[in-house]
Amino acid sequence: MTGYAAPIRRLIDELSRLPGIGEKTATRLAVHILRAPDEEALHLAESIREVKAKIRFCSRCFNLAEKDLCGICMDDGRDHDVICVVEDPDALVAIEESGSFRGAYHVLHGVLSPADGIGPEKLRIGELLKRVDERGVREVVLATNPNVQGESTALLIMKLLGRRPVNVTRIAMGIPVGGDLKYVDKMTMAKAMEFRRST
Ligand code: ZN
């Protein structure tokens, strides 16, 4: 697309790299930002800078955190001997919002995807096994998405945990096959967690 001054073109390019944002939406957003009061546009820029400067991964569960440990890992009111394994922080937020789980989490930051060169070593699986070995974890709830990659990731973790004295469960599938936890409504998520089954 031509006709835009270089700085606007650059903004459109950057915005269109965001997931789910096509060229058209990126252009609309760029024009909106251009027309917005200076203060509003600078707040947006500042919040992007701040999130990159201040947010890191929790050293225990790899959730997003402001300190060494995330808010959930630091919460004494939760059951840290039950660990729910999720693909990404979005799924964690979806489960939290359902209010159905009071344990701890482990964020893998991806799923097995041989076609994309993502093997177990690229996920936080080693750290999960270490957590299970180091503290008396009672239950590991596998809450990867109900699609091929999510299932194969769950299967691998099941296998790796196999000989350890821990109860491994999988969330129940009220969640449509091929679906994504972050788009599941709260009630379905709560039921999936409540009716999780042993593997
Ligand atoms: Zn944490």
Side-chain angles (χ1 to χ4, degrees):
M1 204 188 297
T2 52
Y4 286 107
I8 303 176
R9 182 66 262 172
R10 213 153 38 234
L11 180 57
I12 294 171
D13 286 346
E14 291 301 328
L15 290 168
S16 59
R17 285 151 79 150
L18 300 172
I21 306 288
E23 177 92 23
K24 237 166 117 180
T25 307
T27 305
R28 217 174 65 229
L29 291 172
V31 170
H32 173 85
I33 291 168
L34 186 67
R35 287 184 183 150
D38 284 4
E39 198 191 1
E40 194 181 313
L42 291 176
H43 272 155
L44 173 65
E46 175 57 22
S47 62
I48 293 173
R49 201 197 58 75
E50 195 180 3
V51 87
K52 293 308 289 180
K54 291 191 180 163
I55 300 294
R56 47 180 150 162
F57 294 134
C58 171
S59 66
R60 186 183 295 161
C61 77
F62 303 97
N63 182 18
L64 304 176
E66 275 188 84
K67 299 184 181 143
D68 180 46
L69 290 178
C70 72
I72 292 173
C73 284
M74 284 193 297
D75 184 348
D76 289 338
R78 303 185 69 115
D79 184 351
H80 293 278
D81 295 335
V82 179
I83 297 178
C84 179
V85 177
V86 291
E87 294 180 16
D88 51 40
D90 291 342
L92 182 155
V93 169
I95 294 171
E96 279 300 288
E97 286 181 349
S98 78
S100 57
F101 184 70
R102 291 297 296 164
Y105 290 90
H106 194 86
V107 184
L108 296 173
H109 290 282
V111 274
L112 291 178
S113 181
D116 304 314
I118 302 177
E121 74 288 347
K122 295 246 171 91
L123 308 174
R124 300 287 185 177
I125 293 177
E127 289 90 342
L128 172 67
L129 300 177
K130 203 163 155 239
R131 272 179 88 184
V132 170
D133 287 340
E134 281 176 2
R135 37 178 316 143
V137 174
R138 209 165 62 239
E139 180 182 354
V140 172
V141 185
L142 298 170
T144 50
N145 287 322
N147 53 34
V148 174
Q149 295 172 342
E151 289 297 343
S152 62
T153 307
L155 274 171
L156 173 72
I157 295 174
M158 253 179 250
K159 212 166 98 187
L160 292 169
L161 288 172
R163 286 194 210 99
R164 292 171 165 88
V166 59
N167 187 16
V168 183
T169 57
R170 179 90 172 102
I171 52 168
M173 293 298 141
I175 295 167
V177 172
D180 189 316
L181 295 193
K182 62 176 170 285
Y183 302 124
V184 168
D185 66 276
K186 288 181 193 176
M187 184 65 89
T188 306
M189 177 66 84
K191 288 282 167 214
M193 188 57 78
E194 184 184 348
F195 295 113
R196 62 186 186 261
R197 54 183 163 68
S198 287
T199 58

